[in-house]
Amino acid sequence: MHIVVDYDRCDSYGTCVDNAPGVFEIRDDDLMYVLVERPPAEQLAQVETAVRSCPKLALSLREE
Ligand code: SF4
């Protein structure tokens, strides 16, 4: 699975960082960065919560 971000939708507010802090990060430039594009099994539950909780529906998971 890998994380796909629609940056046209993302508002960089950071709900995803709250849900999966080891996977997403807001930097000093106020943009959201994905730290782990292909999260391992132990981070997948956090990432799924982040995907579901994104208020802008900017996150998705794709199988590959
Ligand atoms: S929760 Fe969604 S809109 Fe907010 S920073 Fe993360 S990806 Fe962007």
Side-chain angles (χ1 to χ4, degrees):
M1 297 287 247
H2 77 276
I3 299 169
V4 178
V5 183
D6 182 346
Y7 282 101
D8 289 334
R9 287 176 170 266
C10 176
D11 63 2
S12 298
Y13 189 69
T15 304
C16 54
V17 179
D18 294 337
N19 284 303
V23 178
F24 303 98
E25 182 177 84
I26 305 281
R27 295 190 184 157
D28 290 344
D29 57 7
D30 286 333
L31 296 176
M32 190 282 287
Y33 290 84
V34 178
L35 304 177
V36 187
E37 283 193 21
R38 294 173 190 277
E42 57 268 26
Q43 284 180 312
L44 212 46
Q46 279 188 339
V47 171
E48 286 170 348
T49 300
V51 169
R52 279 197 308 271
S53 304
C54 173
K56 305 296 250 180
L57 304 178
L59 296 175
S60 55
L61 276 172
R62 296 233 176 104
E63 289 195 46
E64 198 173 278

